[in-house]
Amino acid sequence: MRPLSIPAPDGVIDALVFVPDGAGPHPAVLLFSDIGGLRSSYHDKAQRIADGGYAVLMPNIYYRSAAGQVVPAGRSFRDPDMRNMLLGYAAHLTPLAQARDFAALLAAIAADPAFADGAIGTVGYCMTGAFALRLAALHPDRVGAAAAFHAARLADGNDPDSVVHAVGGIAARVYLGHADRDALMPPEQIAAMDRALAEAGVHFTTELYKGALHGFTATDAPVYSPAADALHFKRLFTLLDETLGDSSVLF
């Protein structure tokens, strides 16, 4: 793990790079943390993906508000005061702000020798599942694979900024792994997202993780499910291995 400072229109994004053992470069994966931001459980997740043969870039999504780990050690993003703080930080992450960040992150990947040329993969969790899909829609020439796990509000009918309205530009393969009985992604939103992807002609897979709760991949959360987490890695590696190994088949 090494730090990387990335100039962006709204400031400097502090990010982390994870690589496997052995000589690079390696296919790039852009990983967005869940609402809790950068912390050891997501360091472990990023390194696990890197150990599968990928160079992983994980930015601090809250760089406009704070650097590094924003939830102090010993505290939880589920604590009411921490949650209120994070929701305040997240309010800055509008679609336009995301678009500016995406351009900066892609430029950093292109400039860093750890990352191979060609299509990249992206994955988001909780609220950043939408980030992964929006990135794929805005940069179809760069993103070959996009995944979202226990994603939140992908198809909120009351939100004109919901990513469900933006999926028409996606050329990547998409995988969505939903938590069962997830109030943040109820069945009607799952169905609405599936319809939008199908109507856009996106190659996608949707899977319901029976018995899993929202946040099932977060090892530091009480809802963590080892079985669902293992399945998440299996599905993610299948997607990445089948798409990033030969980017010429993607477009």
Side-chain angles (χ1 to χ4, degrees):
M1 179 179 75
R2 63 174 167 87
L4 182 65
S5 296
I6 302 172
D10 297 342
V12 177
I13 304 173
D14 56 299
L16 298 169
V17 176
F18 301 78
V19 296
D21 291 335
H26 303 279
V29 174
L30 180 50
L31 187 160
F32 297 104
S33 69
D34 66 10
I35 190 173
L38 301 181
R39 58 194 192 278
S40 61
S41 66
Y42 268 80
H43 298 168
D44 294 343
K45 191 192 301 284
Q47 190 60 57
R48 173 83 175 269
I49 296 170
D51 290 341
Y54 298 94
V56 179
L57 177 65
M58 185 168 65
N60 170 21
I61 58 174
Y62 299 128
Y63 75 93
R64 292 174 180 84
S65 304
Q69 181 170 328
V70 299
V71 176
R75 300 296 306 279
S76 169
F77 57 89
R78 286 174 165 75
D79 295 342
D81 59 333
M82 292 291 102
R83 182 172 181 80
N84 289 337
M85 177 189 74
L86 293 172
L87 289 174
Y89 292 172
H92 298 294
L93 303 177
T94 65
L96 288 176
Q98 291 175 43
R100 294 193 295 271
D101 291 351
F102 296 160
L105 294 168
L106 290 174
I109 288 172
D112 193 297
F115 302 101
D117 294 336
I120 76 161
T122 184
V123 56
Y125 300 82
C126 184
M127 72 175 187
T128 65
F131 290 27
L133 295 176
R134 196 179 302 279
L135 171 62
L138 290 174
H139 297 277
D141 58 327
R142 295 290 304 278
V143 181
F149 295 91
H150 45 83
R153 302 186 180 93
L154 297 182
D156 186 343
N158 297 317
D159 181 4
D161 289 333
S162 178
V163 74
V164 71
H165 305 301
V167 298
I170 294 177
R173 273 182 55 181
V174 170
Y175 176 88
L176 303 175
H178 298 296
D180 193 15
R181 300 184 302 277
D182 189 345
L184 297 178
M185 194 64 192
E188 58 270 21
Q189 287 200 36
I190 294 174
M193 176 55 73
D194 286 355
R195 282 195 303 271
L197 291 169
E199 290 171 1
V202 176
H203 182 172
F204 76 98
T205 299
T206 298
E207 187 168 8
L208 190 68
Y209 287 46
K210 294 289 288 183
L213 301 175
H214 182 79
F216 59 79
T217 71
T219 57
D220 54 358
V223 295
Y224 175 66
S225 167
D229 189 29
L231 181 59
H232 132 262
F233 278 116
K234 181 178 181 179
R235 297 292 193 256
L236 179 59
F237 280 124
T238 296
L239 176 70
L240 297 175
D241 293 347
E242 290 183 353
T243 55
L244 303 189
D246 181 6
S247 61
S248 66
V249 305
L250 296 174
F251 309 114

